[in-house]
Amino acid sequence: MLEVTKKLVELLDLSPIGDDHFQGDSEDLGFPNVFGGQVLGQALMAASRTVEGRLCHSLHAYFLRPGNQDMPIDYEVQRVRDGGSFSVRRVIARQDGKEILTGSMSFQVAEEGFEHQLTMPDAPDPETLRSEQDWGELLAPQVPEKMRPILTRDRPIEIRPVNPVNPLKPEKRPPHKQSWFRAQGHLPDDPVLHRCLLTYASDFQFLGTSLNPHGLTFMSKNLQVASLDHAIWFHRDFRMDEWLLYDKDSPSASAGRGFNRGNFFNQDGVLVASTAQEALIRQRS
């Protein structure tokens, strides 16, 4: 495992502080606030620590307040129900006594059932594409010095975008994006960890799908953007240290909000997870 990936795994490895409460640190990715995927991944890890013999199959969460990168996050897990096949947990994330995220996670015992899935869309092989970090290093000389570390930082999750948008010269495009994702280096055979890592990574390059038709990016001026909620459904087992295609679209934007959907496929074309998110995309005057 690479050192940068080890740090992410440690970030998700929460400290128990008693009575189904856990505490996690935050990382600074150069964003104004805590990265939403980090809070989601840690919340899922906290809930998973209170369930035995069952894996998460769905997660639904709301972002309530921006997180402070300089403060730890406390996670309270509430045991809503343990049934014969399913367990439900509610998680509340707090900083300074204020809720920054609330969500529910459902867990299921392994079970056989009906099988069908969407066909994986066409996409170039990941080995033919440049990584997000490679693109960042090409753009770095063209941006203010304070922004260069954000573009060139080492990443535990390698992202290789298909047909990337130049954030300095965005153009209007259809509401669709594709990227290949994988964790850098080999990971332990822990399905809980792989689910938490996918949850963390699923928030990257998601919100921007709803900006495509408007010729905007996160670097556009007078733009206020923030994730409002996030949902994930885990369909089948997968490994985050193997390439996964993240295929995203945005069916609608209205009232200052953009709606985004995504599907994760492995290289064999197996649909392993799906996502949905509504985001604030507000043009300031």
Side-chain angles (χ1 to χ4, degrees), residues 236-258:
R236 298 167 181 85
D237 292 335
F238 61 91
R239 294 192 63 90
M240 272 300 293
D241 50 6
E242 297 176 352
W243 285 118
L244 297 174
L245 177 68
Y246 197 11
D247 184 79
K248 296 149 286 194
D249 70 357
S250 177
S252 174
S254 62
R257 306 185 312 275

Side-chain angles (χ1 to χ4, degrees), residues 179-195:
S179 302
W180 288 96
F181 280 59
R182 73 172 173 187
Q184 301 248 38
H186 183 71
L187 293 170
D189 297 332
D190 179 359
V192 172
L193 175 62
H194 288 264
R195 278 168 166 73

Side-chain angles (χ1 to χ4, degrees), residues 128-230:
T128 67
L129 303 172
R130 287 179 171 175
S131 71
E132 188 181 57
Q133 186 171 351
D134 291 336
W135 286 112
E137 289 170 355
L138 289 173
L139 288 171
Q142 305 173 53
V143 303
E145 188 172 352
K146 64 179 182 180
M147 295 191 64
R148 292 174 189 171
I150 302 175
L151 296 175
T152 61
R153 63 181 175 82
D154 290 334
R155 293 160 166 80
I157 305 297
E158 183 178 3
I159 302 174
R160 296 194 179 185
V162 176
N163 194 21
V165 174
N166 182 343
L168 303 178
K169 298 178 181 179
E171 57 191 30
K172 292 185 178 181
R173 295 186 176 189
H176 179 244
K177 278 188 172 187
Q178 287 183 325
S179 302
W180 288 96
F181 280 59
R182 73 172 173 187
Q184 301 248 38
H186 183 71
L187 293 170
D189 297 332
D190 179 359
V192 172
L193 175 62
H194 288 264
R195 278 168 166 73
C196 291
L197 285 169
L198 184 143
T199 300
Y200 169 90
S202 67
D203 201 27
F204 282 121
Q205 298 198 346
F206 201 14
L207 180 158
T209 312
S210 59
L211 296 176
N212 263 16
H214 311 285
L216 299 170
T217 73
F218 71 97
M219 294 182 70
S220 299
K221 294 181 179 179
N222 302 321
L223 186 66
Q224 182 183 8
V225 297
S227 301
L228 297 174
D229 60 14
H230 200 97

